[in-house]
Amino acid sequence: MQFDLAPLSLTDHATDLMVMVLHKDEGAPFATEWFDRVVASGDFAGKAGDALTINAPAGMAAARCLLVGLGETDKVSAKTLDKAAKAIAEAAVKKGIQTATLAPQGALDKAFSRQLGLHLALAQYQYTETFGTKELPPASTLARVELSGELDAAQHGYTIGQGANFTRELGNLPGNTCTPTYLAGQVHTLKHDKLSVEVLDEAAMETLGMGSLLSVGRGSVEPSQLAVMRFNNGGDEAPIALVGKGITFDTGGISIKPGAAMDEMKYDMCGAATVLGAMKAVIELDLPLNIVAVIACAENMPAGNATKPGDIVTSMSGQTIEVLNTDAEGRLVLCDALTYVKQDNPACIVDMATLTGACIIALGHHNTGLLSNNDALADELLASAADAMDGAWRLPISDDYDKQLDSNFADMANIGGRDAGTITAACFLSRFVGDTPWAHLDIAGTAWVSGKNKGASGRPVPMLVNWLQSRAQ
Ligand code: BES
Ligand code: MN
Ligand code: ZN
């Protein structure tokens, strides 16, 4: 995508889409008579969220005009600007548009430009991979967006959106394509001379003592994989560690799930896909950071040799785990991945996982769940989430919840009962991070959308990249 400065004179500027972002109490910057007629017709009132594409007025070189409302001038919030950016992006990727131009108007700041770039990339994404003969809508032809100022911010947002699209594509691919081997192998598609990657197979994990991770894929014909990315672009600072849950399909194992909507458990690798999408953006943005990123990939299947309820496994940390429910498998792969990244002495660790259905009950689909052993790290992440318009909400962890994991036969059980399921899952993970500042993102409610528009959302790539960028300053 090419981002260019919009010309000052707009009436004689040839473009496929001339965008006017307008407050409710404000007129158009040109073609005012025509604009007044549009408003009088009742089709556009300038309310927040209003968007109208119409033919450009006579005498104007643009093919079409898009009017986008921001509501009252004194009530414009970051959310309204984000909605406006999304409306523009969705109109600009429509058929036949190659160039879109934003008329300079109002305070369309840096954050707006970044959100515009992000939404343009997101709007251009189309899943096509596994269709056969069905005719699909044509791909977007948009190649150039003109705006006044903040071109870098727009490009930056676009790059984050491309990272999120990588996450979405991996999420949307079916489980019979996106296997643990396929998912882990994606690290080879990331290119940067400061990046080194490595994929550990089951034998290598066995040698490291990753009995917990390996217990999850035992019943699958697909071998488990642990992929590691080391980005050394930040001098000799301690690295930031990222860890993602990569269950390419979660049947529940022997504690098998009910059939309804089980197909959506192909999205159970979205934590890993988020790590990959964020790394893609970080590399493209060349952020001066050291990062060690690990994705723990396995398929959770029932079988004659699958792990059974009551089985006890030994994690890489030496701690033993009684697997009371084979459907609580995410924490079993994550704990060994956490122990593994601890070897790099990271400054902090952030893991992300579609970990608990309970998180959807607690927070719905709006906010990612955030749990942490460190207030400063939690606050940084919450601030980045708010700034990136990619919401997160903190839930507590404490010894009281942790006790729910007590087992009569091992150092801990892998479930803590029905109450506070998201919190006890995080308590389980916290037993493997020690004193290292750590945050866990439960993305069960935010990583994908169900229903008619079923598809991976690319969240929380914007939040994560925003946070990494703040760390690079
Ligand atoms: N991947 C699921 C969590 C999940 C379920 C995410 C539905 C999004 C939608 C996870 O592996 C799981 O099965 N968790 C169990 C934990 C329970 C057995 C303690 C759950 O949430 O029911
Ligand atoms: Mn499960
Ligand atoms: Zn799962």
Side-chain angles (χ1 to χ4, degrees):
M1 184 68 58
Q2 181 69 35
F3 291 99
D4 286 326
L5 273 180
L8 288 173
S9 161
L10 296 168
T11 16
D12 54 0
H13 181 56
T15 180
D16 300 312
L17 188 70
M18 181 63 77
V19 182
M20 280 182 265
V21 184
L22 298 164
H23 294 112
K24 197 164 186 295
D25 35 20
E26 182 181 49
F30 51 83
T32 46
E33 256 174 59
W34 164 85
F35 179 73
D36 289 345
R37 279 204 305 279
V38 174
V39 173
S41 74
D43 288 343
F44 180 80
K47 288 197 306 261
D50 277 3
L52 175 71
T53 304
I54 44 168
N55 291 329
M60 219 178 126
R64 270 165 290 191
C65 278
L66 168 68
L67 306 175
V68 178
L70 286 180
E72 323 255 328
T73 311
D74 51 356
K75 286 197 191 122
V76 177
S77 64
K79 190 145 192 182
T80 343
L81 286 170
D82 182 59
K83 270 196 193 150
K86 189 170 178 198
I88 296 168
E90 280 167 4
V93 300
K94 294 254 161 74
K95 204 173 154 195
I97 299 175
Q98 279 167 309
T99 302
T101 307
L102 267 74
Q105 181 81 348
L108 301 186
D109 59 357
K110 211 166 169 169
F112 170 83
S113 302
R114 186 198 63 204
Q115 291 306 101
L116 177 67
L118 171 73
H119 286 300
L120 283 166
L122 295 177
Q124 281 186 317
Y125 173 77
Q126 211 191 342
Y127 181 80
T128 59
E129 196 56 33
T130 43
F131 287 96
T133 56
K134 186 178 173 180
E135 198 172 323
L136 299 172
S140 158
T141 50
L142 187 72
R144 178 213 283 266
V145 174
E146 299 169 318
L147 65 164
S148 51
E150 308 300 355
L151 300 180
D152 288 348
Q155 185 59 60
H156 187 95
Y158 193 79
T159 302
I160 295 171
Q162 287 177 307
N165 286 346
F166 184 38
T167 300
R168 293 165 80 190
E169 182 69 6
L170 292 170
N172 288 333
L173 286 172
N176 60 336
T177 299
C178 187
T179 61
T181 304
Y182 180 91
L183 184 59
Q186 292 305 305
V187 297
H188 298 298
T189 68
L190 300 173
K191 303 280 181 223
H192 191 290
D193 48 344
K194 298 289 174 57
L195 178 78
S196 66
V197 300
E198 150 184 37
V199 178
L200 307 189
D201 63 9
E202 289 192 340
M205 289 190 271
E206 198 76 61
T207 308
L208 287 166
M210 294 185 165
S212 181
L213 191 158
L214 289 168
S215 75
V216 172
R218 196 125 283 157
S220 171
V221 296
E222 296 291 342
S224 301
Q225 309 265 296
L226 187 89
V228 188
M229 293 151 266
R230 288 190 176 86
F231 187 51
N232 287 312
N233 203 30
D236 28 68
E237 270 177 36
I240 292 169
L242 303 177
V243 175
K245 168 179 174 182
I247 300 299
T248 59
F249 197 82
D250 181 13
T251 64
I254 297 297
S255 314
I256 199 162
K257 287 182 179 295
M262 206 209 269
D263 66 288
E264 295 189 9
M265 283 298 111
K266 73 173 182 180
Y267 290 117
D268 212 17
M269 34 55 71
C270 281
T274 298
V275 169
L276 288 165
M279 288 307 289
K280 182 178 163 71
V282 161
I283 286 165
E284 184 71 32
L285 296 170
D286 200 24
L287 295 184
L289 289 172
N290 289 337
I291 301 176
V292 53
V294 169
I295 56 174
C297 310
E299 186 182 62
N300 188 19
M301 297 287 275
N305 62 340
T307 301
K308 306 170 290 298
D311 284 0
I312 293 177
V313 299
T314 303
S315 68
M316 183 180 171
S317 71
Q319 300 178 91
T320 61
I321 304 160
E322 184 184 16
V323 182
L324 286 177
N325 190 319
T326 63
D327 197 11
E329 84 298 339
R331 62 199 79 181
L332 295 176
V333 298
L334 288 172
C335 69
D336 280 340
L338 290 168
T339 304
Y340 181 83
V341 290
K342 285 257 293 175
Q343 294 179 328
D344 284 43
N345 296 315
C348 61
I349 308 175
V350 179
D351 79 72
M352 54 223 79
T354 49
L355 205 62
T356 63
C359 192
I360 311 177
I361 305 300
L363 298 176
H365 298 282
H366 306 294
N367 282 302
T368 290
L370 189 156
L371 301 99
S372 178
N373 63 3
N374 185 289
D375 291 343
L377 177 60
D379 288 345
E380 274 180 30
L381 285 160
L382 289 172
S384 293
D387 183 60
M389 314 280 313
D390 185 6
W393 198 264
R394 190 173 179 187
L395 297 171
I397 53 170
S398 72
D399 292 349
D400 299 322
Y401 295 102
D402 185 80
K403 279 198 188 69
Q404 291 178 226
L405 296 168
D406 285 349
S407 159
N408 289 350
F409 304 104
D411 297 343
M412 71 195 86
N414 78 328
I415 53 170
R418 233 174 66 88
D419 296 350
T422 304
I423 298 175
T424 52
C427 287
F428 180 96
L429 299 176
S430 79
R431 291 179 176 223
F432 297 84
V433 295
D435 295 332
T436 307
W438 154 84
H440 159 64
L441 304 176
D442 195 327
I443 60 172
T446 49
W448 78 93
V449 176
S450 306
K452 198 175 157 295
N453 295 322
K454 191 186 289 180
S457 66
R459 291 179 67 186
V461 171
M463 157 192 181
L464 199 62
V465 177
N466 190 297
W467 173 69
L468 289 167
Q469 199 200 347
S470 75
R471 279 266 171 163
Q473 269 143 23

